Amino acid sequence: MLLLVFHVKEDCYAIDSINVKEVIPLLNLQSISKAPEYVAGLLNYRGTSVPVIDLCQFLKGKQCNQYYNSRIIIVNYISNSGTALLGLIAENVTDVLRQESSELKSSGVKLDTSPFLGKIVLKEDGMIQTIELDKLLTNELAKLLFT
């Protein structure tokens, strides 16, 4: 499996690249009035309106910094109602990692508030937490963003 690695503040995360459509630079977004703070806005992606989530705000409560290597990751999000495009803002989106599925380890922690946290990759210099995209959004948030 090929993982796209990125940072959310000081923590390292990864998603399966099979879900990634494209990684693009930070662009201006159309704001969405009264949306939760972590909904960064809407992106015009090749003529399609795509909702964008700020992963730093979503996971840490602080906006992602606009570093040179901060990016919007366009993913195919699969929900009960089908597949839709979703943008994810993250910091330091510069790496891919080839990892056998069998080498991913359970973190030993399962939080009801974070069902999207998947297995971890143990590296000499730290851990990489995987994110299960299909569990990232609550049903309510998915309805808000994709109706």
Side-chain angles (χ1 to χ4, degrees):
M1 125 184 324
L2 190 63
L3 299 170
L4 177 65
V5 180
F6 55 89
H7 284 82
V8 173
K9 299 300 179 195
E10 64 281 349
D11 295 326
C12 194
Y13 293 89
I15 56 176
D16 190 339
S17 67
I18 199 164
N19 299 308
V20 176
K21 184 161 181 70
E22 188 172 0
V23 177
I24 62 174
L26 289 179
L27 300 170
N28 289 329
L29 303 174
Q30 174 67 41
S31 64
I32 304 172
S33 297
K34 303 194 184 212
E37 283 187 74
Y38 50 80
V39 178
L42 293 173
L43 169 68
N44 178 353
Y45 179 73
R46 301 175 192 225
T48 301
S49 177
V50 176
V52 178
I53 301 290
D54 182 327
L55 285 176
C56 297
Q57 185 75 44
F58 185 76
L59 297 172
K60 301 289 186 176
K62 298 176 185 175
Q63 283 186 330
C64 282
N65 292 311
Q66 294 189 3
Y67 296 132
Y68 177 75
N69 53 11
S70 294
R71 298 284 187 262
I72 299 174
I73 305 164
I74 306 293
V75 298
N76 290 309
Y77 181 79
I78 300 169
S79 68
N80 295 338
S81 58
T83 303
L85 294 177
L86 176 66
L88 304 171
I89 298 175
E91 299 169 339
N92 197 20
V93 184
T94 58
D95 239 347
V96 291
L97 174 67
R98 186 166 301 281
Q99 194 75 33
E100 294 298 323
S101 299
S102 60
E103 295 174 330
L104 297 175
K105 306 292 182 196
S106 170
S107 69
V109 176
K110 190 70 173 171
L111 300 174
D112 291 338
T113 55
S114 304
F116 51 84
L117 295 178
K119 294 185 176 184
I120 58 173
V121 177
L122 297 173
K123 305 287 288 175
E124 288 183 17
D125 57 346
M127 292 185 283
I128 301 171
Q129 174 80 61
T130 62
I131 293 179
E132 297 178 19
L133 283 177
D134 60 329
K135 298 178 183 174
L136 183 64
L137 306 179
T138 63
N139 288 335
E140 295 79 24
L141 183 56
K143 285 180 188 175
L144 172 76
L145 297 177
F146 301 121
T147 53

